[in-house]
Amino acid sequence: MDQTTGNGEWGRTGIWIAGALGDISTTLIVGTLAIRKAMVSRTGMVSELPPLCDLDLVPLDQLFFGGIDICPGHLPEAAAAVGSSSRTFSREMLEAIRPGLEAIDADIECDRDFEWNSRGSAYSARTLNEVVDQLRANISRFKRRHDLKRIIVLDLASAEPTPRAAPAHAELRLLREALANDDRQVISPSIARALAAFMEGCPYVNFTPNLGAGIGALEKLAAENSLAYCGNDAKTGETLLKTVLAPMFAMRNLHVMSWEGVNMLGNNDGRALSDTERREAKIRNKEDVLPKLLKYPVHAGVDINFVPSLGDWKTAWDFIHFKGFLDVPMTMQFTWQGCDSILAAPLALDLVRMAEFAARHGETGPMTQTASFFKNPIAVEEMAFFPQFENLIRYAEIHLARGGSGRNISARKVSAIGDR
Amino acid sequence: MDQTTGNGEWGRTGIWIAGALGDISTTLIVGTLAIRKAMVSRTGMVSELPPLCDLDLVPLDQLFFGGIDICPGHLPEAAAAVGSSSRTFSREMLEAIRPGLEAIDADIECDRDFEWNSRGSAYSARTLNEVVDQLRANISRFKRRHDLKRIIVLDLASAEPTPRAAPAHAELRLLREALANDDRQVISPSIARALAAFMEGCPYVNFTPNLGAGIGALEKLAAENSLAYCGNDAKTGETLLKTVLAPMFAMRNLHVMSWEGVNMLGNNDGRALSDTERREAKIRNKEDVLPKLLKYPVHAGVDINFVPSLGDWKTAWDFIHFKGFLDVPMTMQFTWQGCDSILAAPLALDLVRMAEFAARHGETGPMTQTASFFKNPIAVEEMAFFPQFENLIRYAEIHLARGGSGRNISARKVSAIGDR
Amino acid sequence: MDQTTGNGEWGRTGIWIAGALGDISTTLIVGTLAIRKAMVSRTGMVSELPPLCDLDLVPLDQLFFGGIDICPGHLPEAAAAVGSSSRTFSREMLEAIRPGLEAIDADIECDRDFEWNSRGSAYSARTLNEVVDQLRANISRFKRRHDLKRIIVLDLASAEPTPRAAPAHAELRLLREALANDDRQVISPSIARALAAFMEGCPYVNFTPNLGAGIGALEKLAAENSLAYCGNDAKTGETLLKTVLAPMFAMRNLHVMSWEGVNMLGNNDGRALSDTERREAKIRNKEDVLPKLLKYPVHAGVDINFVPSLGDWKTAWDFIHFKGFLDVPMTMQFTWQGCDSILAAPLALDLVRMAEFAARHGETGPMTQTASFFKNPIAVEEMAFFPQFENLIRYAEIHLARGGSGRNISARKVSAIGDR
Amino acid sequence: MDQTTGNGEWGRTGIWIAGALGDISTTLIVGTLAIRKAMVSRTGMVSELPPLCDLDLVPLDQLFFGGIDICPGHLPEAAAAVGSSSRTFSREMLEAIRPGLEAIDADIECDRDFEWNSRGSAYSARTLNEVVDQLRANISRFKRRHDLKRIIVLDLASAEPTPRAAPAHAELRLLREALANDDRQVISPSIARALAAFMEGCPYVNFTPNLGAGIGALEKLAAENSLAYCGNDAKTGETLLKTVLAPMFAMRNLHVMSWEGVNMLGNNDGRALSDTERREAKIRNKEDVLPKLLKYPVHAGVDINFVPSLGDWKTAWDFIHFKGFLDVPMTMQFTWQGCDSILAAPLALDLVRMAEFAARHGETGPMTQTASFFKNPIAVEEMAFFPQFENLIRYAEIHLARGGSGRNISARKVSAIGDR
């Protein structure tokens, strides 16, 4: 059974997901199917805000889903597990969309060999070359099976140990050699996925803290193949708030002395991050934000604690100690209690739609317009959320002004952005 | 003894403060004197951020202070009381600046008759005409005594009951009649102060929730007299955060269902606000913000509780209940613990400097460039903090680009604002 | 179909609930049925802790449920509504217990006339005498239908306006006259329910802030009829914490200057409490606690805000400002996020079991052993939670020591209570 | 100049403090002197609560202070530094008590050699024997100089690395051998201090997480010399709250799934604890509490973060994730913002007074009546705060009942404890 009809000028579009049975992926797919059945609203999707929603982004009901996972399982069961452990979606909903889930499940391949540890001894039986070939074969099979015009590769895999810096990360020739030499110290799983995506001519969206396409060698490959890509490390909670609040302190000339953040989470992401090596990239992304925003050194700690009972419900507590007039110390603290995959899934959908749009319009290279989605946006210096978001709006407005790309352009404006 | 030398191209500049013995005024004066002696930093002053600090704003060491208060007292004692109750400034500091405080104290007049209740029976012995004349005489005496080139009237008085809407608020002729008829239902103390300021040719900065110059009749008078003014109701804590955070929820398409805020404070402001009538304007200013930012109705409550033990330390707790993808409810809460006058005083200084700068450059009417300082900025629709602040930066940059008005313009940029 | 078998030495026992379709009642019934099917644990039930669980309390699988409500509806639908709005129980669970819910629903009578406003004009069509008769008839019909040995009346109705103090509250004869005279200013609905319970020979458990049996006249009637009763106003969140934390401050000689509490809730209870008159008793119960615990006046405010989006999820934020050595001020704040009916329902079950046990053992009058369950325990001065709880333990131990009343007494001890 | 007159039946009493220039010690001495001058209240002192205050405890104005520190410095300067960095006491106060501080300063000896690292290479130049002799000489000199009847040794030194378990910790003979052999792997500085105290016939109060007298060998020595002692690790914030709140969860049969605690502090204690080895004992004491209270395994983490800007102001945030009826998860969180030395100092004073009282009444061995003061009370299993405190009350009441030891016994009762 076909997943959808896939008609329209954007053509039949596929999302090929690494980590397809994970919480975010499952929530993304369940949400898309539930929205198609009008069981839930589109709340949480940035691409549904004006003026973005006036672009002719690919509609949700025209998307095909496929992908891989390193854990065995099936999508309907994964969805039932996520829904009941995080109390986010009901059995009624799952029953209504069960046929859709089963159809998509047929496009998901599970294989432990898709992962290895670039800094440790964990090893997949296949060579890197075989793995990349398998990934490419999987993507191209998905494309043929549904006669897709375009596939976006969406990387939602777990945090991986960051490979040690190597010249091969900077130079495409050396990277290809490392691939030929099966050098797993250099090529981490996310690099292999980005490589496979680019070789197959697919834009690549890196939602994870992993390197993915964020190395010079792959930027080169993307340029050669005229492909768009974006990343790294979606910001959905604490870091989002840092990039919103730190500019306020700066603009009021309030001097931040300390900013301590504690993150608690209990899902697979949390389990992976309880491993010091895997945590490294994420912590660095989280810690880099403040000095870049404030332009002075701040005593800032970030703890990530694995608290299994929380499941997918991430709780962050931040404590901000700052100095004001007459050097008087004052404090702010906040608690953010959100469901990780509920916060993340709509942003992943947004990014896929933006990537498809960019590809269709012949845009290549880093999608800097998506900086507001990431902790560590590729090729963007600006870390503050609001100017990042303004860039996204401006991007949409330029497209709309060109005329061709908009639908029926309304006069609506995104709330809170004002009259620009 | 003269307060300062008052030299420079800006000329000898006076700040005439209504509520001169209150916590904010006292802190503002203590801070200015302590900065002059290099005992503390300028943290908390927005006008010290680039590019604002590149404008030739009047320097802190060139300001003269004077004003009135409805409570009897003297500045050195008021300063000692604020410092010890809020533990914000030490006796060492007060001793070092005591001569300065005593000199300024001679320019502060205390008279209970400066206040009346426009909705109740409380009554001052003098007629409104006499009161306005007395205010004007006080201002002009202050000017002569120190041979001041320009005076900025800074309104830091307590919250007053909002007078009922009246035609005289809209039309200058009717307002003058009300003055002649001693109509205290129409003319509240803050209106009388703005009237006196404009009649004396002074720009007027309204830091309070009171109407002040924010009525059509006085806008007319300011235009006639070519005067700049700004207000109302400085945002220093909860409302500041609302105008920072609500746009984030909007830009992430997260639907805010409820936003409950609790404000606790124990200073005179808190005491005044424990009176329902006096609280009205402030609550309205605080409540108006969210619907304007989010463009949809939100269940939003604002409590202001008088908690004497807190003194000048304001504690706000906000609870935000919002919906994300799949309509899943999530929450954020924050606690803001700041010293009210420490947060407010530097902003009052900033506004006075901006008003003097505007006056010197012949700018008249509402100072919309200062919108980011206020809960309810006069003549500005935009409620979000960041675009408001961008307008301030743009204002400074335009002045700097014109060349004449800047000192030695540095390449420094305000942190977190980025490369514009 | 019979609800259960009802065998055992305790005999067939009924719980007759006022407010039978409300959130707490619904949760209580759903929970009991789910426990009978071993679908959930007994977490939250105090009567399952040692040594209480060693008493021969009536087992959950031997209880019959019936009652009244002022709102029309049916139990299965009420249960589905509570479960989906508060995400507390799943459709799977509801389906499994549906026959049980339907059987119980037949024992619930809905009639708007069971309520009136003793301080306002709201009026039921029937006379008080007719209402009391109807209540009694309903109880006795329930008893006959299931051949019950004993019925406990459990009052879970909404907060009602407190009737003005009247001599008839103190004297049984006058109360009977008020009943005869249809004096609704004196006899509130909860008083009528307690009256009906006692006239029918039933122990009465008052979970609500309403007066219920807590007036001298009804204490007299209970004594005459040899009946046990308890109340008022179960403590499940903020007040529970006050009675736990305030003693700590006292025992450390830390002086509490201010204790501000904000309660937000969105269920029917919240809606009722948004009415000033109905809120009165609850606020008084909440406010009375601190001075009784600390023995000195404290600036203590209690806000109860109706926040519909929260549904049954009650959120309380408390701010405690206290003074320590050298009179230095310090602060504690806590946030309690609990589901009201999930917290309340097991306690209601506990109290019913304790009331049945007391009745079976011939105990009459106020059940002071249950003080730890209530904000305003009848006939108990002690407000601190731990000594209240110790009394409950002691009560159980005395019964167990007497031998006859315990089952197979284990050596288990309630954790955290220590070696008594 | 003599510190005080030292008259009374308790005789001239000395407090000999290890860490005499630290924040707690300084605050304790400043507080005592300020209380003597009636400049501040006795808030925070447990020994001032009835019925403890009815015991003939040594009065504050009869205490002599002396001791050692490993950092060079002088008491008046240390006091000025603490006061200004933590804004806890004013210069006025310090000026008024300056003569007292100077007199005490003469009794404080600074010597870096009093510390070594029992697990690392850090080494004092003297042998252990020489160190113990020096400590004893210092104590006995202090005694002679002021003709003291009794000295209590109060250990307020920094956290030290816990020495590895050794047979010499259990057996006094082996401990003496280790001393003779200069075995610094076995004898940590706190063990040396306890040894010196007991050899000099002084009761020993261990406020620190260090082993101190809490090893079998020293318990033996205390018994031989008929000395009282108590410890370890005073509870002043997060752990105090755990021992108050965890029993509440237990008594409501609410199942704690996770309890995550974050402690931030910026004083020397914080600096010492940022060293993993030194943190060990404290973390263990903090973590041991929950399983002992709840009697089941809990996912409980304790972070201690060094945040220099906080100075002596300790901020703890705890997040409690618990399950209730129908296994529904709920949460509580609290923030505790206290000044460490302000919370600790009065308890240290209380313990010294209790130790002097015990010694005077011929009581020896572990002072189990003081369990409520400690995270890890020596020889006490009970971890819940309230039963621990009840034991303290009972201890006082027994003494009072014996008659001889009480002053004029009042009828006052400690608030919140009720009618026992």
Side-chain angles (χ1 to χ4, degrees), chain A residues 285-303:
Chain A
N285 289 342
K286 277 172 161 287
E287 288 186 340
D288 275 5
V289 163
L290 279 182
K292 284 194 189 163
L293 286 168
L294 295 171
K295 312 271 160 73
Y296 53 79
V298 181
H299 181 93
V302 177
D303 288 338

Side-chain angles (χ1 to χ4, degrees), chain C residues 98-168:
Chain C
R98 193 174 175 93
L101 294 174
E102 282 169 355
I104 294 169
D105 188 53
D107 284 309
I108 297 175
E109 181 184 352
C110 295
D111 191 334
R112 177 79 205 151
D113 267 357
F114 287 128
E115 195 187 49
W116 58 93
N117 184 337
S118 61
R119 292 178 70 175
S121 54
Y123 217 78
S124 89
R126 296 199 189 76
T127 64
L128 287 182
N129 240 333
E130 286 166 347
V131 169
V132 171
D133 285 350
Q134 191 186 355
L135 291 170
R136 295 184 58 181
N138 186 301
I139 294 170
S140 94
R141 200 162 47 238
F142 177 49
K143 190 168 190 180
R144 281 196 314 277
R145 188 180 306 148
H146 297 289
D147 189 23
L148 302 175
K149 182 165 164 199
R150 188 174 282 109
I151 285 178
I152 312 298
V153 170
L154 171 61
D155 199 335
L156 297 175
S158 279
E160 67 189 20
T162 308
R164 271 177 256 285

Side-chain angles (χ1 to χ4, degrees), chain B residues 71 87 90 120 142 270 295 312 322 332 390 401:
Chain B
C71 302
R87 295 172 188 246
S90 62
F142 177 48
K295 313 269 161 74
D312 205 23
F322 63 96
M332 177 182 177
E390 278 174 10

Side-chain angles (χ1 to χ4, degrees), chain D residues 45-177:
Chain D
M45 292 187 64
V46 174
S47 55
E48 294 293 326
L49 290 173
L52 296 165
C53 61
D54 296 319
L55 299 174
D56 61 341
L57 300 174
V58 55
L60 293 196
D61 55 10
Q62 302 297 330
L63 294 169
F64 292 77
F65 295 93
I68 57 164
D69 209 290
I70 57 166
C71 302
H74 288 287
L75 192 55
E77 287 67 38
V82 170
S84 88
S85 84
S86 62
R87 296 172 188 247
T88 44
F89 31 90
S90 63
R91 217 182 53 169
E92 288 90 319
M93 188 186 288
L94 291 184
E95 277 167 19
I97 62 173
R98 191 172 176 92
L101 294 174
E102 281 169 355
I104 293 168
D105 189 53
D107 285 310
I108 297 175
E109 180 185 353
C110 296
D111 191 335
R112 177 80 205 150
D113 266 357
F114 288 128
E115 196 187 49
W116 58 92
N117 184 335
S118 61
R119 291 176 73 173
S121 54
Y123 216 79
S124 87
R126 295 198 190 78
T127 65
L128 286 183
N129 241 331
E130 286 166 347
V131 169
V132 170
D133 285 349
Q134 190 185 357
L135 291 170
R136 295 184 59 181
N138 188 302
I139 295 171
S140 95
R141 200 161 48 236
F142 177 48
K143 191 167 188 180
R144 281 195 314 276
R145 188 180 306 150
H146 297 288
D147 188 23
L148 302 175
K149 182 166 163 196
R150 189 175 281 111
I151 285 177
I152 313 297
V153 169
L154 171 60
D155 200 336
L156 297 175
S158 280
E160 67 189 21
T162 307
R164 270 177 256 286
H169 292 154
E171 237 183 282
L172 183 51
R173 188 183 51 81
L174 296 177
L175 191 72
R176 283 178 169 139
E177 277 180 30

Side-chain angles (χ1 to χ4, degrees), chain A residues 380-398:
Chain A
V380 175
E381 276 308 297
E382 177 62 78
M383 282 288 166
F385 178 70
F386 292 100
Q388 288 176 339
F389 188 76
E390 278 173 10
N391 282 338
L392 179 62
I393 299 302
R394 210 167 297 133
Y395 171 88
E397 286 175 340
I398 289 167

Side-chain angles (χ1 to χ4, degrees), chain D residues 16 33 36 61 223 239 268 328 333:
Chain D
W16 188 91
L33 299 183
R36 283 184 195 167
D61 55 10
T239 308
N268 282 328
V328 172
Q333 50 188 295

